[in-house]
Amino acid sequence: MRTDSYLTAKQSNSQLYRSCIVDIKMSNQEIHSDDCREVFMLYDRVGDNKIRVDEVGEVLRALGSNPTESELAKLEQQFKVGKDTRISFEAFWPIFQATKARKLTPAIKASFVECFKVFDRNANGTIGSAEFRQLLTNLGDRLTDEEVDLLMAGHEDQNGQIHYENLVASITSV
């Protein structure tokens, strides 16, 4: 039986997983099963060595993966998600392996820049920050305002423009 202090520690998992993200991204090593299991277990609030299926995306992101909303929707369909559906680490590990961060090639980076060019009305390498925010919060895998703020931090010039080549270089260098 788990103690109340253990459950209290589990409740502060958002702070813990953020530090795990930093640790994982700082080391250029493969994530091993034991490291992954440790982060996975931060989300086990019941003590049955399982997490809710609707938390899988958050755990994947904590481990440095970047699943799309459509990948997560397929996963939920696969597990026929009910409000209390839970998944074991053994079922989670192959999901993580399939969605873990992929290396960005120069061609992929160039395709990001090409996507931004569609919205570059003046063909000067910039996109308006208001339009950029609108795109990110309303299209595709939507970001929250806080996520957009983090993404745009330091990239907006005095004219309210985002230099998208610099932004892509900054994002893909992480």
Side-chain angles (χ1 to χ4, degrees), residues 4 22 107 117 119 136-137:
D4 287 337
V22 172
K117 283 183 180 179
F119 301 100
L136 295 177
T137 57

Side-chain angles (χ1 to χ4, degrees), residues 74-132:
K74 287 178 188 174
L75 176 69
E76 288 179 6
Q77 287 178 342
Q78 176 185 346
F79 283 93
K80 297 180 177 132
V81 176
K83 69 177 187 175
D84 295 324
T85 305
R86 298 178 63 75
I87 183 174
S88 68
F89 178 76
E90 288 70 24
F92 172 81
W93 180 248
I95 295 167
F96 170 69
Q97 290 292 338
T99 61
K100 68 182 176 181
R102 296 157 188 94
K103 291 189 177 190
L104 295 173
T105 64
I108 293 172
K109 292 177 186 181
S111 71
F112 280 125
V113 171
E114 289 300 315
C115 290
F116 283 115
K117 283 183 180 179
V118 171
F119 301 100
D120 182 0
R121 293 185 180 144
N122 298 325
N124 62 358
T126 64
I127 181 173
S129 60
E131 183 178 12
F132 184 65

Side-chain angles (χ1 to χ4, degrees), residues 12-71:
S12 66
N13 69 350
S14 64
Q15 294 170 344
L16 292 173
Y17 95 81
R18 286 188 183 111
S19 68
C20 289
I21 292 172
V22 172
D23 291 343
I24 290 167
K25 287 184 177 177
M26 294 296 282
S27 68
N28 269 338
Q29 301 171 0
E30 281 290 312
I31 299 172
H32 297 287
S33 176
D34 292 339
D35 299 328
C36 186
R37 183 183 300 271
E38 186 176 334
V39 173
F40 178 90
M41 296 309 293
L42 291 172
Y43 290 83
D44 174 16
R45 293 179 180 87
V46 177
D48 63 354
N49 296 323
K50 295 180 179 180
I51 62 168
R52 292 191 340 248
V53 172
D54 64 349
E55 293 179 313
V56 168
E58 191 172 336
V59 176
L60 288 169
R61 289 181 185 104
L63 289 164
S65 184
N66 192 20
T68 64
E69 290 302 320
S70 63
E71 287 174 321

